[in-house]
Amino acid sequence: MENFKKIQMPTPLVEMDGDEMTRIIWKMIKDILLKPYIDLNTEYYDLGLENREATKDQVTIDSANATKKYGVAVKCATITPNADRVKEYNLTEMWKSPNGTIRAILDGTVFRAPILVKGITPYIPRWTKPITIARHAYGDVYKNVEMQVGAGCKAELVVTHPDGTEERETILDFKTPGIIQGLHNIDKSIESFARACMNYALDRKQDLWFATKDTISKKYDHRFKDIFAEIYENEYKERFEAAGIEYFYTLIDDAVARVVRSEGGYIWACKNYDGDVMSDMVATAYGSLSMMTSVLVSPEGVYEYEAAHGTVQRHYYKYLKGEPTSTNPVATIFAWSGALRKRGELDHVPELCSFADKLEQATINTITDGVMSGDLAALCTIPNKRTVGTEDFMAAIGEHLEALL
Ligand code: NAP
Ligand code: MG
């Protein structure tokens, strides 16, 4: 070990620390799995709730701007305050979701992909490769305007042009009471979404699927289809062909049927609502939220890696009481490996990329050897499996890593 030359990082990685059990795991990952091998060069932002309060949430904004500057970030799970948390942490304000703030500044799209391990069989066993879901995170029903309508009312859609003229369309002459809803989206946001998806497909060298209900929604959903098609034809077609990957558009019903029959191994771009519903379906079908990674990609190609799960509050309270915990660090480890690999690619440091590969391999080897956290043991079909606590799981991964290096 003494003559071991640690891997150097010419450019800092933006490090966003977080809350509760994941904050404990965060430190363990750095101490046990990273610092012995890498001269860890990070620009550190403490997004723990106490420091968000102390900085009036400026730290979240600063961390997002630093991500824009350096291009790659890794983020720990953070508390999104609700009324209970305002009391618990004595907050002066119910600070917004850090992920929401960061996503708004980076104008990014979130890609969620499962980590597959032999012995942990998806509920859909045909899915032998990951399906990555990309959810458009703006508009549609999430920014709707809705009303209840009484009998005898006429509901209309009215658009007022800049010169004051009006365009109208009747929704319905209500004979009996009912409901209406107004949805919108913005071309610019759909364009950003399309570019983020296409950049990510090129990055991962995987096909990109997109689906809407354009046969029924001939203007609204059709606009999504057209924007994707235009951007693909004008900006990406040649690069996709050179990479040997495909952009595939189909109807949402057809997409669902194909996804279930597929082996996985592609990126599925979803409109906001479809992505909300399908990401939970896909995550559950693959097994566990604690094995889901998440990466935010901006249209300019800035990357922020994290785990899809939260701060695992229930485990943290046990940990504080000194009770044993068995928290799964895998998605957080893969957030670090993803970020280090991307940093290595951008800075041309192949040792960093190869370290990231080995870190992932060591993590998977630990599980296939039968050592795992309780949530995995509950799903795992390996005969001689052993459930271990948070610290022992991390130590076992550390041993596998040392063996690989
Ligand atoms: P959570 O932290 O994801 O945990 C929910 C439950 O899922 C846990 O109680 C645990 O089940 C299981 N679980 C999740 N991750 C696990 C892991 N790594 N290892 C083992 N089990 C795991 O969600 P939550 O409890 O609803 O939210 C807690 C806090 O996280 C909230 O304050 C929320 O705002 C925040 N949050 C942050 C993010 C983010 O930063 N991206 C995302 C979601 C939520 P058992 O208790 O049954 O073992
Ligand atoms: Mg949902």
Side-chain angles (χ1 to χ4, degrees):
M1 221 43 213
E2 262 148 48
N3 296 323
F4 187 86
K5 199 173 160 294
K6 286 189 187 180
I7 300 166
Q8 299 298 306
M9 296 174 62
T11 314
L13 176 63
V14 177
E15 175 185 353
M16 303 169 175
D17 207 343
D19 288 300
E20 302 195 309
M21 201 60 200
T22 41
R23 189 180 179 99
I24 307 292
I25 285 176
W26 194 259
K27 183 166 185 316
M28 291 168 73
I29 292 174
K30 283 166 61 181
D31 289 346
I32 299 168
L33 303 178
L34 304 177
K35 282 183 181 167
Y37 310 104
I38 303 174
D39 233 343
L40 207 56
N41 178 7
T42 70
E43 196 164 293
Y44 180 85
Y45 292 86
D46 184 0
L47 267 55
L49 190 48
E50 274 140 9
N51 194 45
R52 275 182 277 151
E53 167 70 22
T55 62
K56 303 274 169 232
D57 208 23
Q58 186 61 37
V59 66
T60 307
I61 295 164
D62 292 346
S63 73
N65 286 326
T67 306
K68 268 189 159 168
K69 177 175 166 194
Y70 293 114
V72 188
V74 59
K75 181 180 169 293
C76 180
T78 47
I79 292 169
T80 298
N82 55 16
D84 289 345
R85 299 297 202 164
V86 169
K87 250 200 233 149
E88 184 184 353
Y89 284 83
N90 206 7
L91 303 180
T92 53
E93 241 181 83
M94 200 185 284
W95 305 111
K96 285 191 210 146
S97 147
N99 287 44
T101 302
I102 295 164
R103 196 165 60 212
I105 292 172
L106 298 182
D107 184 22
T109 298
V110 174
F111 298 84
R112 271 178 153 206
I115 300 154
L116 299 191
V117 180
K118 253 209 198 101
I120 297 172
T121 312
Y123 289 103
I124 301 184
R126 266 188 81 83
W127 288 359
T128 50
K129 297 175 196 162
I131 296 171
T132 301
I133 296 241
R135 172 181 171 190
H136 184 212
Y138 179 82
D140 300 352
V141 73
Y142 302 88
K143 288 244 188 258
N144 72 351
V145 180
E146 44 185 32
M147 289 185 204
Q148 285 199 342
V149 182
C153 295
K154 175 181 186 175
E156 288 177 287
L157 212 50
V158 182
V159 173
T160 310
H161 293 265
D163 67 3
T165 56
E166 285 183 349
E167 204 179 326
R168 301 175 167 259
E169 189 130 12
T170 302
I171 297 171
L172 191 72
D173 280 309
F174 281 84
K175 306 269 183 300
T176 57
I179 41 185
I180 58 166
Q181 182 175 60
L183 306 185
H184 80 272
N185 221 302
I186 295 170
D187 286 1
K188 224 175 105 203
S189 172
I190 303 168
E191 287 162 12
S192 292
F193 177 53
R195 289 197 180 96
C197 291
M198 291 178 198
N199 287 341
Y200 194 67
L202 283 170
D203 190 55
R204 304 298 306 177
K205 301 222 173 5
Q206 286 181 344
D207 291 347
L208 175 65
W209 296 17
F210 183 48
T212 73
K213 194 74 185 174
D214 66 282
T215 46
I216 299 297
S217 173
K218 290 191 164 60
K219 292 208 173 109
Y220 197 102
D221 275 23
H222 214 288
R223 187 82 193 124
F224 280 82
K225 178 184 178 180
D226 288 346
I227 286 175
F228 265 70
E230 268 169 43
I231 288 181
Y232 177 68
E233 287 297 325
N234 297 336
E235 300 171 30
Y236 288 91
K237 193 167 192 256
E238 281 164 25
R239 278 184 284 163
F240 267 53
E241 283 169 0
I245 58 173
E246 193 186 341
Y247 169 61
F248 173 64
Y249 178 86
T250 185
L251 267 182
I252 186 71
D253 341 29
D254 181 47
V256 170
R258 284 173 189 262
V259 164
V260 172
R261 289 196 307 262
S262 78
E263 293 178 346
Y266 48 86
I267 294 150
W268 183 11
C270 291
K271 284 182 65 198
N272 208 348
Y273 176 82
D274 297 339
D276 184 352
V277 177
M278 289 305 158
S279 63
D280 280 340
M281 194 271 285
V282 168
T284 308
Y286 275 109
S288 166
L289 194 61
S290 55
M291 295 293 277
M292 267 289 163
T293 59
S294 179
V295 51
L296 177 73
V297 183
S298 85
E300 294 83 34
V302 165
Y303 291 74
E304 183 243 5
Y305 294 82
E306 63 174 324
H309 61 76
T311 60
V312 212
Q313 179 183 18
R314 216 177 59 82
H315 295 207
Y316 181 59
Y317 288 156
K318 282 171 77 178
Y319 173 87
L320 287 182
K321 282 193 268 175
E323 291 172 21
T325 56
S326 184
T327 312
N328 184 341
V330 172
T332 308
I333 293 172
F334 273 63
W336 273 100
S337 59
L340 291 170
R341 183 185 294 108
K342 179 52 75 182
R343 201 61 277 166
E345 282 169 19
L346 294 177
D347 298 345
H348 309 289
V349 184
E351 311 89 80
L352 204 52
C353 300
S354 123
F355 175 84
D357 294 343
K358 285 179 179 143
L359 177 56
E360 292 179 358
Q361 197 55 53
T363 307
I364 289 171
N365 289 354
T366 306
I367 302 168
T368 50
D369 258 19
V371 175
M372 63 196 76
S373 48
D375 61 315
L376 290 179
L379 300 164
C380 180
T381 53
I382 295 173
N384 57 346
K385 64 186 172 191
R386 194 156 59 86
T387 304
V388 294
T390 310
E391 290 82 2
D392 290 346
F393 192 16
M394 197 71 79
I397 296 170
E399 280 165 26
H400 275 92
L401 181 62
E402 194 161 356
L404 280 179
L405 292 163

